[in-house]
Amino acid sequence: MGERLSPWIPSCNGSIRVELDGQRTTSDSGALLLREALDNSGVIDALEDNLVDRRDPDRVRHSLASQVRTVVLQRAMGWIDLSDTTTLRRDPLWQLACSDARGTTPLAHSRPSQATLSRLLTCLGSDDNIDTVHEGLLRLAIWRLTSLNGGERPTHLTLDIDGLPIEVHGHQGGSDYHGHVGARIYSSLIASLAETGDMLGGLLREGNAGPAENADTWIPHLVRRLNESTGAKVRVRIDAGFTGNDTLEALEERNIEYLGRLRSHTGLQTLAAPYLKRPRGRPPEQPREWCHDLTYQAGSWPTPRRVVLVVQERPDDLLLHAFFLVTNLGKFDWPPEKVLALYRKRGKAEAHMGEVKSALDVHLSSTDRGASTVQEVMARNEVSLLLSLYAYPVLHGLRRLLESRTHQGWSLIRMREQVLKVGATLSVHARRITVHLGDAADKWWPTLLKGLPRLTALA
């Protein structure tokens, strides 16, 4: 931007002249919508009040709040790398959307550089600040939980836990090559809220970490914080990678309800054998399914636990298929069929996890610069992961708002391309800035702007 070139005339039409003359234009008008949603959540103000900034105040050009806002909004709009802020350095709308200043002042301010944002990750990854960054993600989830329900908070919540292998670039400390993924990775844990689909927490682990490593301490901590923040009773839903005895015992000791799938093995197959028999008569056209409530004690379990056996009849298959769920949900309130129905809703959580990977393109690249220890490198990468997760509730909140107004489904990528990536021209008159949106905004922006007041600020 700012450069002038000789007009280019495309061969298809000699009446067209293409000029690069540094006009105040942008293709990311939706960043203003994201800024509005982010401000309503109150998370940036909360971070600003609690983050420790050890920089010399006389030399600070960009506040921590404006830097965090820059990273979150850019990632939400698809600008994933820190170096992208250099590409957008003269875009007037990004100057307005990320700045703390009011009026036309942001247009005269420079944007933070890649080096500045790299130092931000180091600052946020320090022992003084990392817990505050985690709390900010929790606050975003609670804002989403209340903003579309008239401020009411539910009495029960379901927490989904998943593993997310994240590719790294280079040989950062703590990363390791994973044969199944086919790349060098960190192994992270992600927690999402089933009621809204929002990401609630993220924990970065070394690349060679086992599926359930650290889960026995991290999951109870998340449940406690969610319970303290909402007052709701929280149950945990996990897959077969997390149903080892250590995790289950940790949840039981704290009276946390859980539901998870068990890996099949010889002991469980023996237990299921009496139930793997078809009823007499011709099978109906529609496949059948049976649930059986059982009690089972694995060799590593100190006591028996409730296990739900699910037997399925499949078309054109002579053998019955079976899988197992382990739970401490009460039998009276939770009969086997209800337990199975609750577990199957995990598919929705896995779809949201897939969107995190596809729409936000989470990857980590903080290197072993200087005399950094493995712990410092991983802390910077964990902050980078958390800021990507920050972007998800902001995008997801606008998406759900649009769905409620249009009564049709929206993917994050479709919403970004059709609603947020809208061209505009900015004009400045005295102290007023006017954003003239392109024709592409006519279809969806009026609908979205009418519903925007529903994204109320979190009290």
Side-chain angles (χ1 to χ4, degrees):
M1 291 187 177
E3 184 180 1
R4 296 187 66 90
L5 295 178
S6 300
W8 171 65
I9 302 175
S11 59
C12 65
N13 190 336
S15 298
I16 299 174
R17 296 168 62 88
V18 179
E19 298 183 0
L20 182 63
D21 55 7
Q23 295 292 324
R24 294 183 183 274
T25 59
T26 182
S27 61
D28 289 339
S29 303
L32 288 177
L33 294 174
L34 295 172
R35 169 69 186 268
E36 186 75 8
L38 190 60
D39 284 352
N40 280 344
S41 73
V43 67
I44 299 298
D45 292 336
L47 289 175
E48 191 171 32
D49 292 339
N50 293 282
L51 289 175
V52 177
D53 188 356
R54 300 192 182 281
R55 296 177 296 172
D56 182 353
D58 294 332
R59 303 180 64 182
V60 171
R61 297 180 59 189
H62 305 285
S63 68
L64 291 183
S66 67
Q67 292 180 56
V68 172
R69 190 183 296 117
T70 295
V71 176
V72 172
L73 293 184
Q74 285 185 183
R75 291 188 179 182
M77 288 294 293
W79 300 94
I80 304 299
D81 296 323
L82 296 184
S83 59
D84 290 333
T85 191
T86 304
T87 305
L88 303 170
R89 69 188 185 281
R90 297 284 298 278
D91 189 308
L93 192 132
W94 279 108
Q95 290 174 292
L96 297 172
C98 298
S99 176
D100 295 328
R102 303 286 181 173
T104 60
T105 304
L107 296 177
H109 287 176
S110 62
R111 303 197 67 223
S113 64
Q114 178 184 2
T116 299
L117 297 181
S118 294
R119 290 191 291 270
L120 169 70
L121 299 186
T122 301
C123 174
L124 298 184
S126 67
D127 293 339
D128 295 329
N129 290 324
I130 189 67
D131 289 341
T132 301
V133 180
H134 281 280
E135 287 294 310
L137 184 57
L138 176 65
R139 181 183 178 92
L140 273 172
I142 295 172
W143 163 69
R144 279 276 301 116
L145 188 66
T146 58
S147 64
L148 297 182
N149 291 285
E152 295 184 7
R153 302 191 179 191
T155 57
H156 290 82
L157 294 172
T158 301
L159 192 64
D160 283 295
I161 308 296
D162 286 283
L164 179 65
I166 301 178
E167 183 177 357
V168 302
H169 301 288
H171 292 265
Q172 296 93 315
S175 64
D176 207 345
Y177 183 82
H178 195 287
H180 179 72
V181 179
R184 195 173 186 87
I185 67 163
Y186 282 121
S187 176
S188 64
L189 291 180
I190 306 295
S192 60
L193 197 59
E195 283 69 21
T196 63
D198 291 303
M199 303 302 112
L200 183 72
L203 178 69
L204 196 69
R205 305 177 302 170
E206 295 186 357
N208 59 1
E213 189 170 322
N214 303 124
D216 56 337
T217 55
W218 184 66
I219 297 176
H221 169 74
L222 274 181
V223 171
R224 178 179 62 81
R225 288 296 299 117
L226 187 56
N227 176 262
E228 292 172 350
S229 302
T230 64
K233 185 175 180 62
V234 183
R235 69 176 65 96
V236 175
R237 196 162 50 190
I238 49 182
D239 66 16
F242 301 95
T243 50
N245 185 64
D246 290 344
T247 305
L248 299 185
E249 271 196 340
L251 297 176
E252 290 166 349
E253 287 172 1
R254 295 163 179 81
N255 296 318
I256 299 172
E257 294 180 341
Y258 64 80
L259 165 64
R261 186 161 178 163
L262 287 174
R263 286 195 176 99
S264 183
H265 53 76
T266 304
L268 288 173
Q269 292 170 1
T270 302
L271 182 69
Y275 303 94
L276 300 181
K277 298 178 181 178
R278 293 180 183 273
R280 293 181 178 180
R282 184 183 296 275
E285 293 183 2
Q286 296 298 322
R288 293 169 290 185
E289 186 174 72
W290 302 271
C291 294
H292 303 280
D293 226 332
L294 308 173
T295 300
Y296 177 72
Q297 182 174 359
S300 61
W301 294 358
T303 57
R305 290 187 169 103
R306 182 188 179 191
V307 171
V308 173
L309 167 65
V310 182
V311 180
Q312 296 175 320
E313 189 176 48
R314 294 180 173 178
D316 303 322
D317 194 342
L318 294 177
L319 301 178
L320 296 176
H321 174 73
F323 64 91
F324 307 85
L325 305 174
V326 60
T327 183
N328 62 350
L329 295 170
K331 293 183 180 180
F332 181 77
D333 293 324
W334 291 92
E337 292 76 14
K338 192 176 177 181
V339 170
L340 176 61
L342 177 62
Y343 181 77
R344 281 186 167 150
K345 292 179 181 178
R346 261 187 64 82
K348 204 170 181 181
E350 292 170 351
H352 289 298
M353 185 68 66
E355 280 198 318
V356 170
K357 296 172 67 175
S358 62
L360 297 176
D361 188 25
V362 180
H363 61 269
L364 303 175
S365 58
S366 180
T367 58
D368 301 14
R369 62 174 68 91
S372 298
T373 65
V374 171
Q375 291 73 22
E376 289 170 340
V377 173
M378 291 191 64
R380 287 196 295 265
N381 276 315
E382 183 166 86
V383 168
S384 183
L385 168 63
L386 290 171
L387 293 181
S388 292
L389 296 181
Y390 272 47
Y392 187 84
V394 182
L395 274 172
H396 185 48
L398 288 179
R399 184 255 299 274
R400 290 295 300 271
L401 188 59
L402 192 59
E403 287 178 340
S404 68
R405 308 286 297 186
T406 63
H407 305 290
Q408 59 178 276
W410 287 82
S411 69
L412 292 188
I413 293 177
R414 179 192 174 205
M415 187 186 74
R416 181 191 289 161
E417 292 176 348
Q418 295 191 15
V419 181
L420 302 181
K421 289 284 186 179
V422 171
T425 302
L426 278 69
S427 60
V428 182
H429 302 284
R431 299 291 295 173
R432 184 178 299 278
I433 303 170
T434 304
V435 180
H436 305 273
L437 296 175
D439 290 343
D442 292 347
K443 187 173 184 179
W444 302 118
W445 273 63
T447 300
L448 193 55
L449 290 174
K450 289 177 182 178
L452 203 58
R454 292 184 60 192
L455 291 177
T456 54
L458 181 64

